Amino acid sequence: MPHLIGPDFVGIQTHDLDAARAFYADVVGLKVAAQSPPGAVVFDTRPIPFAVRTPVAELSRNDNLGEGIALWFGCNDADALHDHLVGHGTPIVFAPKDGPFGRYFAFVDPFGYTITAHTVAHSGS
């Protein structure tokens, strides 16, 4: 029977691709991948690639983009990333706390998406 295997790519849509690239690369610290298709910026994230792209259909202009979807990113130090983002004026949904996947917190990107960051054990890669 045909079936889904699981997520293998995550992308969010924004009208301002340059601002999205700057935020995720310069403020959050993601590395831009060597190649991206037109209308998108792909980041070198593992194990699942992440990208920002221009909308494939008109986005409604509201503050609830991605409502109901949980986007979690692993990071090397949730507390340090939280402090860094606060220093850059990034809105914080909740401060770092301990949870089932380790230390975590959530922030809102400049485009209205809520992103949760959690500390993951370094695997040496």
Side-chain angles (χ1 to χ4, degrees), residues 16-33:
D16 193 339
L17 197 57
D18 291 334
R21 176 190 181 115
F23 177 76
Y24 281 101
D26 301 339
V27 177
V28 178
L30 295 180
K31 181 182 175 193
V32 177

Side-chain angles (χ1 to χ4, degrees), residues 9-85:
F9 185 85
V10 173
I12 59 174
Q13 301 179 91
T14 179
H15 290 285
D16 193 339
L17 197 57
D18 291 334
R21 176 190 181 115
F23 177 76
Y24 281 101
D26 301 339
V27 177
V28 178
L30 295 180
K31 181 182 175 193
V32 177
Q35 294 183 341
S36 296
V41 176
V42 178
F43 296 92
D44 185 15
T45 58
R46 295 188 180 105
I48 297 172
F50 171 71
V52 292
R53 63 159 296 119
T54 55
V56 293
E58 184 57 34
L59 296 177
S60 62
R61 299 256 181 205
N62 65 47
D63 294 331
N64 297 320
L65 289 173
E67 184 175 25
I69 296 174
L71 292 175
W72 284 59
F73 282 75
C75 69
N76 61 341
D77 185 332
D79 290 295
L81 180 59
H82 167 268
D83 294 347
H84 174 79
L85 293 176

Side-chain angles (χ1 to χ4, degrees), residues 5-6 9 22 26 31 46 72 81 90 95 98 100 104 113 119 125:
I5 296 169
F9 185 85
D26 301 339
K31 181 182 175 193
R46 295 188 180 105
W72 284 59
L81 180 59
T90 304
D98 293 322
Y104 73 112
Y113 292 99
T119 302
S125 58

Side-chain angles (χ1 to χ4, degrees), residues 90-113:
T90 304
I92 302 298
V93 177
F94 59 85
K97 59 185 174 181
D98 293 322
F101 303 110
R103 197 92 172 129
Y104 73 112
F105 74 100
F107 63 92
V108 178
D109 77 4
F111 319 100
Y113 292 99

